[in-house]
Amino acid sequence: MSRELRRPALDERGIVLAAAMMFVLLSSVLVLTFMSTTLGERAQSSNVQTAKLALYAADAGVRAQQQILANMAQAKLDSCLTAWTNAGATGNIVKNPQGLFPAGTLNVASSATSTVPPYAATASITFSNADIADTAQTYNYLFNITSTGSVRSTGRRSVQSQGLLRVSASRGSFADYLLFMDQFVMPDGSSIWFTSTGSFDGRVHTNTYFKYAFKPTFQDQVTQVNSNATFYNNGSPVSRNAANNGTIDVPNFFGGYLRGQSNVPLPTNSYNQQAAALGLTLAAGVAPTNAQINAALGLGGTSTPSSDIYLPHSGSTLTGGFYIQGTVDKVKMWADTLVNKQYYQFTQGSKQRTIEVDPVNNTTKVWNSLSTSGSPSQSYTGTPPNGVLYTNGSISSLVGPDRGSNGYVNAAIAENTKLLITASNDIVVNGDLTCDSYNNKNNVLGLFSSSGSVRIGSSAPSNLNVDAFVMANGTSGQFAVDNYSTGSPRGSMNLRGGVVAKYYGAFGTFNSNGATQTGYNRNWHYDRRGLIPPYYPTTQRFDPDIPSARTMAWKEI
């Protein structure tokens, strides 16, 4: 059975076409709407991104302006220091702090601008306050920076930063040097040469001039007062205002070689260290009187105190360091490396003391013998606060603990112990003096002879190890080895620290091949842990610190 197809009625014709056209129209509207939305979102996103870039550019302008302020401060401080030094190095370094920087907004030459990233900044700076002390001078300034970042025609944002610019200078420390020789000669006037066997990894200075033979190596800065240096010149020495002698004597100066520098005088006394050991606060360079010494030691009177080993205290509380009246025959130090206790033994004639310093339990105990058995004779609350061991005589023998049976070097200085040993006359080192856990960077030792020398005694072991900053300021002050020209070779004198002395001391003798015949050879390395022994002498020269501009408030405007 077949079916006929029905033809659409006349009034139904074209309805499919209309429906198709409606579909196309609606689709076009949806596509256009979608495209419009997408383009709008892209434009909005682009504007947001542009605004962010403008803000970043404005903040970059702030940072650049801060660096300009720091650079200006550095240049002005250097100029003030030069004028201050030339005028006698007294009083304030910055004579007119209010006028150090121009008043009002800084000119265009002192303003930060850039095209990549695009910013423009302006700044003003005003004096706030100053802190003037014997060891440092600090001048504080307040700055106000406005910076605008512009990215295309749609991105423009501005910020304001307020903060502190610190301009300061500090007295340098003699612990800054690996080797400092006031006079680069032996005490008897004999010449010294830096040769190819010499390698120095710290700062080196002399208040005269250096002599070079062949190719010594200096890893850090070398400075001298004289303009000329002397070069060996194959046995016919020449004096030249130069860093080398052609191709004959060519030292390696990896840290630079500055000649014609200012003289850096050595300290002339140890009064500051003596006062610190007594627990006294005196003006710099002022000697304590007998009355002040006796009062600090609890003795009374104005006569010279009797020879003894003292711990200045008030009641059961320690107030100073270790104070020894007169020469001490022997000082021995060792560390309890398990609990970080520090021990000292003193022998002065028939007087004997053993002292235990326990920072963990905050106690100090004293036995009147060379033993810690039995109850201590005295017990104190706290530990010696000033970290200075002072004697107004000599230390005839300074040692650390005995070496182990296998030659192991035991530690003399416990962790967290910071100590300066000061003697008005000679200090004789007869044993290893090393720091426990050296790389933990929390202990340091200084040896300071203000009117004598620091000597390595004839009973010191071979391959001696010393972790210390050493200073010898006597009229013939030197860091030297007793009987250096006799006996057999004693290996290396291994130093981690620095040496400051009036003269260059002898350590040994050598044959024509450079091999050690007697005494020690030097194996010295600068202590770069950034630690300075307490009350270690400072130089009379002020060194400029790097100015720092620090943001204290920031906002968008």
Side-chain angles (χ1 to χ4, degrees):
M1 177 174 165
S2 62
R3 297 180 60 185
E4 279 186 24
L5 295 174
R6 188 178 74 86
R7 292 186 180 186
L10 291 174
D11 56 352
E12 292 177 345
R13 292 177 181 177
I15 208 164
V16 173
L17 179 60
M21 292 180 66
M22 184 63 72
F23 176 77
V24 171
L25 179 62
L26 289 174
S27 297
S28 299
V29 170
L30 288 173
V31 170
L32 289 172
T33 302
F34 176 75
M35 291 177 64
S36 177
T37 302
T38 301
L39 290 172
E41 288 178 348
R42 288 182 63 185
Q44 184 179 7
S45 175
S46 177
N47 289 340
V48 170
Q49 185 67 20
T50 299
K52 284 184 178 179
L53 291 175
L55 181 62
Y56 296 155
D59 189 59
V62 169
R63 307 305 170 194
Q65 187 64 58
Q66 287 180 330
Q67 187 59 55
I68 289 175
L69 293 180
N71 292 343
M72 289 177 62
Q74 185 73 67
K76 290 179 179 295
L77 179 59
D78 289 345
S79 177
C80 289
L81 268 171
T82 299
W84 179 81
T85 301
N86 293 338
T90 59
N92 291 7
I93 294 171
V94 180
K95 301 300 183 184
N96 179 21
Q98 292 82 358
L100 188 65
F101 294 93
T105 303
L106 299 179
N107 59 29
V108 175
S110 301
S111 299
T113 59
S114 173
T115 56
V116 182
Y119 61 73
T122 59
S124 61
I125 185 167
T126 57
F127 176 67
S128 176
N129 58 64
D131 182 11
I132 309 300
D134 180 65
T135 56
Q137 296 190 19
T138 301
Y139 304 86
N140 293 317
Y141 293 83
L142 299 177
F143 65 78
N144 190 330
I145 297 173
T146 301
S147 177
T148 299
S150 303
V151 179
R152 296 192 286 272
S153 60
T154 56
R156 182 181 176 86
R157 299 177 78 173
S158 298
V159 298
Q160 183 183 63
S161 173
Q162 296 174 321
L164 178 72
L165 176 66
R166 175 157 291 170
V167 181
S168 62
S170 305
R171 289 199 189 276
S173 171
F174 282 102
D176 294 338
Y177 299 94
L178 168 66
L179 181 63
F180 181 110
M181 295 292 111
D182 183 57
Q183 308 292 314
F184 191 62
V185 293
M186 306 278 278
D188 63 2
S190 301
S191 294
I192 307 158
W193 295 89
F194 284 137
T195 69
S196 297
T197 60
S199 180
F200 303 86
D201 62 2
R203 289 179 62 184
V204 177
H205 176 84
T206 182
N207 285 329
T208 54
Y209 62 93
F210 288 121
K211 295 183 176 183
Y212 305 102
F214 309 115
K215 199 171 184 176
T217 297
F218 302 89
Q219 303 291 344
D220 210 325
Q221 188 179 74
V222 178
T223 53
Q224 67 176 49
V225 171
N226 292 27
S227 297
N228 283 18
T230 297
F231 297 91
Y232 189 62
N233 196 40
N234 291 328
S236 301
V238 294
S239 177
R240 299 185 61 188
N241 184 359
N244 58 65
N245 179 33
T247 60
I248 300 173
D249 304 299
V250 191
N252 291 312
F253 295 111
F254 295 122
Y257 181 27
L258 302 179
R259 301 175 300 283
Q261 300 300 294
S262 299
N263 184 74
V264 182
L266 292 174
T268 57
N269 57 66
S270 54
Y271 297 150
N272 294 349
Q273 293 73 26
Q274 183 180 13
L278 290 165
L280 299 175
T281 301
L282 303 176
V286 174
T289 65
N290 280 340
Q292 290 172 320
I293 295 172
N294 288 327
L297 301 179
L299 301 176
T302 58
S303 59
T304 301
S306 59
S307 295
D308 210 333
I309 302 111
Y310 299 92
L311 279 176
H313 60 278
S314 177
S316 62
T317 302
L318 296 175
T319 56
F322 306 87
Y323 189 86
I324 303 171
Q325 179 66 33
T327 290
V328 59
D329 300 316
K330 185 176 182 180
V331 176
K332 183 175 182 177
M333 303 183 297
W334 71 94
D336 184 329
T337 59
L338 295 178
V339 292
N340 293 330
K341 293 180 181 179
Q342 180 67 55
Y343 286 90
Y344 304 86
Q345 276 186 351
F346 301 92
T347 301
Q348 186 186 48
S350 61
K351 300 181 179 68
Q352 298 176 335
R353 300 284 189 279
T354 300
I355 299 175
E356 174 195 273
V357 177
D358 184 354
V360 175
N361 294 308
N362 197 34
T363 60
T364 299
K365 298 176 182 178
V366 181
W367 289 263
N368 293 332
S369 65
L370 300 182
S371 170
T372 57
S373 61
S375 299
S377 304
Q378 296 90 29
S379 295
Y380 300 99
T381 301
T383 61
N386 289 344
V388 176
L389 189 163
Y390 177 87
T391 174
N392 59 3
S394 299
I395 298 177
S396 300
S397 183
L398 173 64
V399 299
D402 297 335
R403 292 182 178 180
S405 57
N406 59 354
Y408 180 78
V409 177
N410 294 294
I413 306 300
E415 287 201 70
N416 301 309
T417 294
K418 298 177 177 65
L419 178 69
L420 176 65
I421 297 176
T422 303
S424 59
N425 293 314
D426 287 1
I427 298 174
V428 182
V429 178
N430 275 319
D432 300 303
L433 298 169
T434 61
C435 292
D436 182 32
S437 301
Y438 181 87
N439 290 326
N440 286 350
K441 304 178 182 180
N442 57 23
N443 49 5
V444 65
L445 173 66
L447 307 178
F448 174 33
S449 169
S450 60
S451 300
S453 296
V454 178
R455 298 158 30 213
I456 296 174
S458 56
S459 61
S462 297
N463 297 309
L464 180 68
N465 300 278
V466 175
D467 296 335
F469 290 95
V470 179
M471 178 178 281
N473 289 3
T475 304
S476 300
Q478 58 181 317
F479 182 39
V481 174
D482 288 350
N483 303 316
Y484 71 89
S485 60
T486 61
S488 302
R490 299 168 70 179
S492 295
M493 191 275 136
N494 305 303
L495 175 78
R496 294 186 293 189
V499 175
V500 178
K502 179 75 172 178
Y503 294 101
Y504 200 79
F507 265 62
T509 60
F510 306 87
N511 62 24
S512 58
N513 296 320
T516 305
Q517 285 185 314
T518 62
Y520 296 94
N521 63 69
R522 295 176 177 86
N523 180 30
W524 294 358
H525 296 280
Y526 183 61
D527 183 349
R528 293 191 178 276
R529 298 179 301 160
L531 302 172
I532 299 175
Y535 293 91
Y536 198 72
T538 57
T539 68
Q540 296 304 304
R541 182 190 68 225
F542 273 95
D543 294 325
D545 301 321
I546 298 176
S548 60
R550 184 176 56 189
T551 298
M552 300 174 66
W554 185 99
K555 66 179 181 179
E556 186 172 5
I557 56 177

